[in-house]
Amino acid sequence: MRFSSLLLITGIAQLGLATYIIKDDYSANNFFNMFTFDTYDDPTHGYVNYVDQAAADSLDLYNLSNGQVTWGVDHTNIASGRGRNSIRLTSKAQYTHGLVILDVAHMPGSICGVWPAFWMTGPNWPNSGEIDILENVNTASQNQMTMHTGPGCTLARSNCEGGLGCAIKPQSPNSYGTALNNAGGGVYAMEWTALAINIWFFPRGNIPADISSPNPNPRNWGPATASFAGGEQCDIDRHFRNNHIVFDTTFCGDWAGAVWGQDGTCAATGMSCVDFVRERPGVFAEAFWTVNSLKVFQDMPTGSLVKINIPQLAPTMGAAATTEGVKNIEAPSSAIEQTATLTPSATDKQYTATTTTVGVGGAENVNFYETPSPVTATASTAGPDRPSRVHRPHRHHHKNVHTEHDGTDDESTVMRRNGVKDSTKVSRHLHGHVHHLHHS
């Protein structure tokens, strides 16, 4: 059997669209084993005593229950020494690019003196970047998302260099502190690519269905709550790399303490921030985190397995509806449409497809094999008012997986692929599905 076919691949068969698969699951039973308990002096000069895991255990500052992890601060004793006992967690793993999804049931409340944060940072601050996903201070009710970099990066029309960074303060009700807790918590998702760092907030009851799936797809979620798009004014890959995930709850310090007098509730106490935190332990009973889940996803790596469903192609090939394919791709893309030219091999049993991203350029090799029954496919890859909390000296102040496509195109990343010579072309349309099966 000899034939060639030109395919327009749309919707779910977006061979150039990034497919996210699980990289690290910070499940409850293993959560604290995947972090280090930092014990050094607070780099943001907070009135806090970060304790190690043994001390946190003896002080009953953390626990596991019903698949959730909870940790907090000492709220029974008058503080002394470095400050109030608390926990700062830094992931053992580092990440460059990916999708981080936090389902948080409770975070430290909107309490005078409290400065909680869920964030990421790399070595040699700020030159490896800092990504503040969930953070604010004192009695705030809305989140602030901020990027920090070395010199030469402008994002969201602001200079991101150093401690103040470039911040976005979206009007998102119930996105932080006590308001978030009273609403049952929510989900924060941060997607980091070479093109942009985007952050979404979804309140409880409005969380996309695929958030909890093995292959979440940010293209389905609508506009990001905060978008830090790179480009000529900021090379994302130069300014952000090798970041750890961090949770911390500090007190006062370079931000919460600095704006203490600007918060009417806090100023009305008639006390300084440090005195309030030291003398009023009971008010910090709500200064705890409860996490339902934390997962990190990355693009489908070399050696991943996918299933390509091609019902229209199968009768022509004399093969089953599911056809085996081998993909060799050098870089991912967010392109929606691609064309593919299928050429039979000398054995008439193997067909090589060269796909070209519409409006982007490049080519992708896919080898399809004629088979009498469904088989799997193997895919392989070829060759502005707040400081940061990092440890530093004192300063002054691929493929889209099992999802439904809405018919619109998203932004594209140019990718380079290996070309394959083709023969004559016959037009055919294809709306397929790509399902992730396994990764090595």
Side-chain angles (χ1 to χ4, degrees):
M1 177 175 60
R2 304 282 299 180
F3 79 101
S4 296
S5 179
L6 177 65
L7 305 175
L8 176 62
I9 302 176
T10 62
I12 208 66
Q14 303 162 33
L15 296 183
L17 189 62
T19 293
Y20 285 109
I21 59 174
I22 191 70
K23 169 69 174 177
D24 289 317
D25 185 348
Y26 290 75
S27 59
N29 290 337
N30 201 39
F31 186 88
F32 292 108
N33 293 330
M34 300 177 74
F35 287 94
T36 59
F37 283 66
D38 299 329
T39 59
Y40 45 74
D41 290 347
D42 180 20
T44 60
H45 314 104
Y47 184 65
V48 64
N49 179 47
Y50 290 128
V51 300
D52 61 23
Q53 186 167 7
D57 188 25
S58 66
L59 293 168
D60 198 24
L61 296 186
Y62 74 93
N63 66 73
L64 311 178
S65 179
N66 299 319
Q68 295 177 315
V69 290
T70 297
W71 68 98
V73 306
D74 174 24
H75 57 88
T76 59
N77 301 297
I78 293 177
S80 62
R82 294 195 303 178
R84 184 157 299 284
N85 290 331
S86 182
I87 292 173
R88 174 175 167 136
L89 302 173
T90 298
S91 68
K92 296 176 181 177
Q94 293 177 295
Y95 304 99
T96 299
H97 295 179
L99 177 65
V100 178
I101 300 180
L102 171 71
D103 186 325
V104 59
H106 190 283
M107 70 171 293
S110 304
I111 305 166
C112 288
V114 174
W115 178 2
F118 168 63
W119 53 295
M120 299 180 70
T121 191
N124 190 27
W125 189 92
N127 297 307
S128 297
E130 176 183 333
I131 303 169
D132 298 331
I133 300 169
L134 173 55
E135 178 186 34
N136 215 317
V137 297
N138 297 327
T139 63
S141 62
Q142 294 185 347
N143 185 33
Q144 177 171 309
M145 291 158 274
T146 310
M147 304 291 118
H148 302 266
T149 69
C153 177
T154 296
L155 296 171
R157 298 183 298 277
S158 298
N159 181 6
C160 301
E161 181 179 357
L164 292 180
C166 45
I168 294 178
K169 303 176 184 178
Q171 297 301 306
S172 300
N174 308 324
S175 61
Y176 173 86
T178 300
L180 174 70
N181 300 335
N182 290 343
V187 166
Y188 275 92
M190 186 278 295
E191 183 184 34
W192 170 6
T193 71
L195 295 181
I197 296 172
N198 293 315
I199 302 172
W200 288 262
F201 168 64
F202 302 108
R204 192 71 60 198
N206 194 32
I207 300 170
D210 71 348
I211 283 283
S212 58
S213 78
N215 309 104
N217 179 13
R219 303 289 80 75
N220 293 336
W221 302 345
T225 308
S227 182
F228 299 88
E232 292 183 359
Q233 293 186 311
C234 186
D235 181 341
I236 296 291
D237 282 351
R238 184 167 76 86
H239 289 282
F240 295 88
R241 59 189 179 277
N242 300 327
N243 275 208
H244 297 273
I245 296 171
V246 183
F247 288 93
D248 71 72
T249 305
T250 188
F251 304 94
C252 304
D254 295 342
W255 190 9
V259 299
W260 175 267
Q262 301 172 28
D263 187 307
T265 300
C266 301
T269 65
M271 305 173 72
S272 71
C273 185
V274 169
D275 288 345
F276 182 82
V277 172
R278 180 176 56 242
E279 303 292 336
R280 301 285 183 88
V283 304
F284 302 109
E286 289 294 309
F288 67 89
W289 297 87
T290 296
V291 169
N292 292 327
S293 65
L294 172 62
K295 297 179 181 180
V296 179
F297 298 82
Q298 292 193 328
D299 285 350
M300 187 179 294
T302 300
S304 298
L305 300 179
V306 297
K307 182 187 291 183
I308 304 174
N309 188 17
I310 311 178
Q312 293 94 332
L313 177 61
T316 309
M317 294 181 66
T322 303
T323 308
E324 188 175 83
V326 180
K327 300 184 199 175
N328 300 289
I329 308 161
E330 292 186 3
S333 169
S334 296
I336 295 300
E337 295 185 355
Q338 294 185 326
T339 59
T341 303
L342 270 67
T343 307
S345 67
T347 63
D348 289 340
K349 297 293 183 180
Q350 177 176 330
Y351 304 86
T352 301
T354 301
T355 67
T356 303
T357 307
V358 173
V360 177
E364 176 178 338
N365 299 342
V366 183
N367 296 322
F368 296 103
Y369 300 88
E370 181 182 344
T371 57
S373 60
V375 296
T376 59
T378 303
S380 62
T381 302
D385 57 351
R386 41 94 46 230
S388 165
R389 296 153 316 287
V390 297
H391 198 304
R392 58 186 182 275
H394 179 77
R395 66 180 187 285
H396 295 285
H397 249 64
H398 249 107
K399 318 303 153 261
N400 199 347
V401 177
H402 197 49
T403 180
E404 297 301 325
H405 177 55
D406 61 6
T408 62
D409 290 355
D410 289 287
E411 72 272 15
S412 298
T413 304
V414 176
M415 57 182 170
R416 302 177 305 278
R417 299 184 178 90
N418 299 326
V420 175
K421 295 181 179 179
D422 55 54
S423 60
T424 58
K425 304 177 181 179
V426 179
S427 178
R428 179 175 296 276
H429 292 278
L430 168 65
H431 294 272
H433 293 272
V434 179
H435 301 268
H436 172 256
L437 299 180
H438 174 71
H439 74 277
S440 61

